[in-house]
Structure formats: C-alpha cells, structure tokens
Amino acid sequence: MRALVTGVAGFVGSALARRLLASGSEVVGVDCFLDYYPRALKNQNLETLKSDRFSFVEQNLAHGDLSQLFNGVDVVFHQAAQAGVRKSWGEYFSTYVESNVLATQRMLETIRVKKIPIKKFVYASSSSVYGNAEKLPTSELDRPQPVSPYGVTKLAAEHLCVLYAKEYGVPTTSLRYFTVYGPGQRPDMAFYKFILAGLEGRELSLYGTGEQSRDFTFIDDIVDANLAASEKGAAGSVFNIGGGSHVTVNQALTILERNLGPLKVVRSERAAGDAAHTGADATNAKKELNFAPKIDIEEGLRRECEWLRAQLKIGAVARL
Ligand code: NAD
C-alpha cells in the first residue's frame, strides 16, 4: 500500500506512519509545522520515520497545489488539523477554519476534480463534535452539538467528507476519536501536563472539579482503527472510536499516583469549551470495522508515564 498521511509530524500522524512503515507500506507524509507546540517535538517524531519507503513534504494543505501529493496513493489518512479546544476561542479561530475546514475541502476537491483513484480517505474527526451529548454513551446517530469552536470546525469538515462521498463517490470514512493518549501525546494535553508535573515534583493545574469524565483511547488503538477503516467501512460512513475506558479525571489522577507517587493538584475554573462528559457507543465500529480497543487506562497510563520519564531524561519535553 502507498499511503498519504497528513499531519505526519504530529502525535497521531507519526504513530500511524510508524505502523504503516513497519508493515511494509510506502508512506508520503505532509505537515506544515503549525507552531501550536514546539517544532522540536515534531522533528523528533519525524526522526522515528526514517526509511527509504518514507518521503516528507512540507506544505500547508490550505495553500498551493495538492495534486502531486496523491501520486500513486491508495489510501489517505487525513490527520492534519489545528487541535486544542481552548485556543479555538478568539482571534486564533482563523487558523482552525483554515487548517480544519479549508484544508479538508481542498483535499476532497483535488481528489474529485483530478479523479484520483484512491481506495479510501480516512478523516480524523473528534468526539468534540458531540459537545455535552444528549445521552451517554453517545452513538453516531445522536445529535452533534459542539461546545467549542474547535468542535464546530471538526464537524464541518466531517460533513464535507460525507457530502463528497454522497455527491461524488469519494470513499471517505470519518473516525470520531475520543481523547487520545499514550506515548507521543501532545504536550498541551492534560495527561502529558499531569505526568510531567508529577515527574518534576511541580504543582499541576486541574480545570474544574475533576468529576468531568472522558472515554480515553490509547494511541495504538487509534492506529488500529485507522487501519481497519482503510479496508472496511462504507463510503460516507462515520464511526465512534472510543477506548472503552470511561473514567473521571479524578480517577485518572489516582491511577497516575500509583505510577508517580502523590501529585500536587491545584484546582482552577472549568475551561470554556470543555464538555462535562464524553462516552463512546462503539457498537458500529465493532460491527462494521471489527474494531475493539485493546489497551485499558491502567496499562495505557503506565506506558505514557514510562515514555515521558525517558523523554525527560533526554530533555525532550515541552512545558506548556
Ligand atoms: P497534532 O497537533 O499533534 O498533529 C496535527 C499535525 O497537523 C501537526 O503536526 C500540524 O503541524 C499539522 N497540520 C495542521 N494544519 C495543517 C495544515 N493546514 N497543513 C499541513 N499540516 C497541518 O494533533 P494530534 O493530536 O495528532 O491530532 C491528529 C488529528 O486527530 C487531528 O485531526 C485532531 O483534530 C484529531 N483528534 C485528536 C484527538 C486527540 O486526543 N489527540 C482527539 C480527537 C480528534
């Protein structure tokens, strides 16, 4: 297989590209190094992809001609996006529109206009499309009602994927990831910050009461879901990809303390745009993609602690 992985220098994109290379695929990776977090971490991700079957293109998908990227490509894994809920309020919103909506539309439009014969276009959607969901666990048929501008842009791009499938037969499948964690996690994400603070004996800042809950999904399971979606899943389909580890943030902190010792938790205001609870009904992914998460939160957090401990030793961490 020849795969195009967008956002390849990021957390999910690099993990996915590593797996594809390990299984013998050719990978074209694209990224524009958005400065949301330090480029040094992204360069480090790219270092892990050294292979004569890997080629890298530095390009912003919202600009320039994209057609060259698709040369000989069978499957597109579209992971590129401006991530993060909090920064999506205010003037930075234009970057969210550009990287999440416009970049996705330009990819789909290129495939349509140039009649690029891809087998599958897998789009990284998000549980943030649900906002404060009407029911838990939430199914794909429940009404999406994002509570952050980030969620609005992820949902808009997902709708585009469905539209291009329906009107023009572009074989898209959207995966609504529920909070991804594990080795390589973005440094703005809660577990990364908690673990690093714990390792360094610093105070950590917890938004809200800690009773907010999430369906946490380990990175290797997200990669599995992408590979499954590249083979199965009807054009225009949308799936929840949840980790089956539904816990409160306070419960996650207790698990972290088993790995790191007592943590110094300082509580602060709930952050605008944070959903109170997320929980995936992943029945459809099980049925149609044969996807089931393998790593539970105990094991997943143990692995993330181990990874970050090693990163700290070599000075390859970011304190955001
Ligand atoms: P990340 O920020 O680590 O990786 C995204 C990469 O995309 C970055 O390296 C960035 O430079 C690149 N990028 C952004 N806009 C681009 C553009 N216009 N052109 C080229 N490259 C661009 O984020 P991540 O955590 O790896 O997220 C990957 C995908 O998964 C995103 O689409 C995100 O919305 C989605 N997602 C992530 C999570 C999570 O918990 N990490 C949850 C739900 C959905």
Side-chain angles (χ1 to χ4, degrees):
M1 171 175 34
R2 184 171 165 88
L4 170 61
V5 179
T6 73
V8 75
F11 168 35
V12 177
S14 59
L16 177 56
R18 261 194 309 280
R19 180 86 74 83
L20 287 164
L21 290 169
S23 65
S25 297
E26 278 178 48
V27 177
V28 182
V30 60
D31 205 293
C32 69
F33 301 106
L34 285 188
D35 62 1
Y36 180 56
Y37 62 88
R39 180 165 175 160
L41 296 188
K42 297 187 184 187
N43 286 339
Q44 210 192 5
N45 288 339
L46 289 181
E47 283 291 309
T48 67
L49 303 177
K50 288 232 161 93
S51 160
D52 53 8
R53 279 177 286 106
F54 178 68
S55 53
F56 177 69
V57 180
E58 181 171 349
Q59 184 175 354
N60 188 325
L61 298 165
H63 305 287
D65 180 28
L66 304 183
S67 45
Q68 295 306 312
L69 295 174
F70 295 96
N71 280 344
V73 163
D74 310 295
V75 178
V76 179
F77 295 98
H78 181 37
Q79 310 294 317
Q82 170 59 60
V85 165
R86 285 170 206 115
K87 209 170 174 180
S88 68
W89 301 99
E91 61 177 317
Y92 208 71
F93 182 64
S94 55
T95 307
Y96 284 79
V97 175
E98 188 173 280
S99 280
N100 301 3
V101 185
L102 183 59
T104 304
Q105 184 268 351
R106 296 184 83 251
M107 301 269 297
L108 294 166
E109 194 62 19
T110 304
I111 293 165
R112 175 182 85 86
V113 171
K114 305 278 182 191
K115 298 189 171 46
I116 294 169
I118 51 160
K119 294 197 185 89
K120 187 66 77 171
F121 182 100
V122 184
Y123 166 65
S125 187
S126 168
S127 61
S128 62
V129 303
Y130 292 120
N132 288 316
E134 283 166 342
K135 70 172 176 49
L136 290 171
T138 310
S139 96
E140 294 86 351
L141 295 178
D142 292 325
R143 188 161 64 101
Q145 38 190 343
V147 292
S148 68
Y150 164 73
V152 170
T153 61
K154 294 302 289 183
L155 182 58
E158 187 190 290
H159 282 319
L160 286 169
C161 289
V162 174
L163 282 182
Y164 274 78
K166 284 200 174 133
E167 287 293 334
Y168 296 110
V170 178
T172 64
T173 289
S174 300
L175 304 180
R176 292 178 175 168
Y177 304 166
F178 282 66
T179 319
V180 192
Y181 75 104
Q185 196 184 33
R186 294 200 322 264
D188 63 303
M189 296 187 75
F191 287 164
Y192 185 105
K193 291 183 173 177
F194 292 172
I195 296 169
L196 189 57
L199 289 169
E200 297 185 319
R202 288 185 283 111
E203 287 182 345
L204 62 89
S205 190
L206 171 65
Y207 295 113
T209 60
E211 283 309 298
Q212 62 270 42
S213 64
R214 294 284 177 275
D215 201 328
F216 293 101
T217 315
F218 191 68
I219 180 65
D220 293 9
D221 289 326
I222 289 290
V223 171
D224 285 350
N226 272 275
L227 298 180
S230 73
E231 290 176 3
K232 308 178 189 101
S237 53
V238 177
F239 296 100
N240 285 340
I241 302 299
S245 286
H246 187 248
V247 294
T248 65
V249 175
N250 287 331
Q251 286 168 326
L253 284 168
T254 304
I255 298 172
L256 286 178
E257 288 192 320
R258 284 202 278 278
N259 288 277
L260 303 169
L263 296 171
K264 299 173 194 161
V265 180
V266 178
R267 284 164 206 273
S268 58
E269 287 282 287
R270 169 193 164 266
D274 266 355
H277 305 284
T278 69
D281 175 343
T283 315
N284 289 336
K286 173 82 188 134
K287 203 162 65 187
E288 290 182 41
L289 303 180
N290 196 22
F291 166 78
K294 296 192 188 88
I295 304 293
D296 67 17
I297 187 86
E298 276 292 337
E299 173 61 13
L301 281 178
R302 190 192 66 71
R303 291 194 202 178
E304 184 163 347
C305 289
E306 202 172 276
W307 166 74
L308 210 39
R309 192 173 271 130
Q311 292 296 106
L312 186 58
K313 268 197 190 129
I314 58 167
V317 294
R319 295 169 191 83
L320 299 187

